[in-house]
Amino acid sequence: MSLPPVAKKEPLVRSHHGDAVVDEYEWLRDKESPDTIAYLEAENAYAEEQTAHLAELRQTIFDEIKDRTEETDLSVPSRHGDWWYYARTLEGKQYGLRCRCPIDDKDDWTPPDLDAHSEIPGEQILLDSNVEAEGHEFFSLGAFTISVDGNWLAFSTDTRGDERYTIRFRDLRTGDILDDEITGASHGATWSLTGSHVFYTTVDEAWRPNQIWRHAIGSADDDVLVYEETDERFFAGVGSTQSDKYLVIGLSSKITSEVHVLDAADPEGAFRVVLPRTDGVEYTLEHAVIAGEDVFLIIHNDKAPNFELISVPVEDPTDRTIVISGSEDTRLDDIDVFARQILVSFRRDALARVGIIRLTDDGLGPLTEIDFGEELFTSGVGGNAEWDQPLVRLGYGSFVTPGTVYDYVVETGELIVRKQAVVLGDFNADDYEQHRSWATAPDGTLVPISIVCKKGTPRDGTAPALIYGYGSYEASMDPGFGIARLSLLDRGFVYAVAHVRGGGEMGRHWYDDGKMLNKRNTFTDFIACAEHLVAEGWTSTQRLIAEGGSAGGLLMGAVANLAPGAFQGIVANVPFVDALNSILDPALPLTVIEWDEWGNPLSDADVYAYMKSYSPYENVAAHDYPAILAITSLNDTRVLYVEPAKWVAKLRATMTGDTQVLLKTEMNAGHGGVSGRYASWHERAWELAWIIDTSTSG
């Protein structure tokens, strides 16, 4: 076996608040340097050499994922206008197809039972991503938006992984692609009511979506700048209400938001502000018709930390009527509004739930929670394209229940199973069990853990285990089903998700207690969860692997420094491990908006000192570390490749012991890693093989 690559040292001094720091690996930030590329390629070659003995296991796991997956499949059709819309996958094809077929009986809301292996009468293939991806090593579909009349498609593609999209337009009556082409766009595209115009977003030099533009279909005129957000803390986005009556510009920082609206039938009109931004107040809105009156339904957190739902007249948003009051134990997340019902998404006890409010001639009925009957689950709303429909589409799943699509009949409360994801082979949900457990953090806070394993897995500390964590941006890690995970569970693994502070599982306070100057709670919560699994006999420190990505990669780097003996191995995917250095540089992508999440170490000496105390790169020390697998992508614009590259270089130069440290860089991908489902399965098989091998090396 060859020795690991050794990165050269080029000392660079960084000084802030009287603190001078020598950074020996900052030279790796130069993406165009041949030395940088040579180092990354050397690390890739070393990682392949070090894991060559896992090639057979990787192929076996890939085959398991593939053999359990229904490769030729169809989604449950969703009704919109005169068509049923659905997605297809075909065996052997990396990417999906978007299709539609005509509605036979407009009075029948039962989706057609389509056979994925048979010809579908009247089927139109609206977009074949395999065709669009030809000739490109990376492909991502961004916008896929049908005009209200069903005649036009706006779609956007990214072939580098840098999240800069090209928008194109297809006339669905002829199949022709228009000459119109918009380059350098951000995610999404929104049609005006008549289909005459499309609104889209572009980004500034820091990759912040900051401008909203209007494009006239088929026109040679220059696109019109509709809105520009000059506050660097705010992102801009554009969409429409479920009713299609209003176009909506949403402006948001991490803690503040503002919404502008425009009648969608008047695309060249002027947007107006609904409620002016107030620092620390967040809100979103939807349009509803209640007792014959047009209103905006607004979810906000003004004096309601877990948010409340109010109704306001469209012309007077200061005249508030409370629909759902704020609660200490329930976090309101979102609403989906229809002509005859409102679906409310909310969180309680670290679970994503859905409730429904019926609209009557007199106004609003009570909120009724939909009961799915499992201890651990995740549920949500999706696939509802019509404003006036007698049933609503819901999604559901758990650690042991494959993704399930329901239609909820509003009139009767009946839940109709439209489809459950097929798991081929000998999978039987009854062979597995899931549990909720609670770890005690150092400050006494109880931290929820979601656990799944195969029935009969021993509780004597001998089982290998994988514990996953994130803990930032109020993002919740819900207990959903995963086919690839079965390759761990069937080998005797315990899989656990630590719902640490900084996430959103337990409400807004859970998020606040894991951000800014409370960020260390995220790390100590995760360590407490790992220790709890060991204390309860689920696993041992010699068999426990930790995994996290992006901001969860920061968590991985932090716990590697704080409690290296708690884990046998750590997988850090696109990890935010040079956090202090990145947040100090407002010229880097997305830095300024991040100050509301982490604090501003550039202007605040206390924030600087606090971040320096936990930032993984700053705190690499001369002690033994668990085995580490760091994975990144060269074209990632959210967490730059340089962060894990510097981290690995410093680990190798500083740590004691001889545990394995690997860096694997995708040279043609972005933040989400490789594209294409087969490529993604190969990538996950690569990671799982390393996890399995490392868990047995203790």
Side-chain angles (χ1 to χ4, degrees), residues 38 275 303 442:
L275 293 170
K303 301 181 180 64

Side-chain angles (χ1 to χ4, degrees), residues 251-296:
L251 311 165
S252 60
S253 73
K254 296 294 182 184
I255 60 172
T256 305
S257 54
E258 180 178 273
V259 176
H260 300 207
V261 296
L262 172 67
D263 189 323
D266 182 24
E268 297 183 350
F271 283 82
R272 64 181 174 90
V273 178
V274 178
L275 293 170
R277 68 186 67 174
T278 300
D279 195 46
V281 175
E282 303 165 65
Y283 75 95
T284 58
L285 65 74
E286 261 291 354
H287 165 244
V289 179
I290 300 176
E293 178 185 2
D294 283 307
V295 302
F296 289 136

Side-chain angles (χ1 to χ4, degrees), residues 437-438 449 451 458-461 530-539:
S437 193
W438 298 83
I449 311 172
I451 301 169
R459 291 283 297 274
D460 58 4
E531 292 173 344
H532 179 81
L533 291 178
V534 172
E536 292 292 310
W538 290 105
T539 189

Side-chain angles (χ1 to χ4, degrees), residues 649-670:
K650 190 172 182 179
L651 278 167
R652 291 238 184 84
T654 309
M655 62 184 278
T656 59
D658 58 357
T659 52
Q660 186 182 74
V661 176
L662 302 179
L663 173 66
K664 185 172 186 288
T665 303
E666 295 298 335
M667 305 302 282
N668 295 284

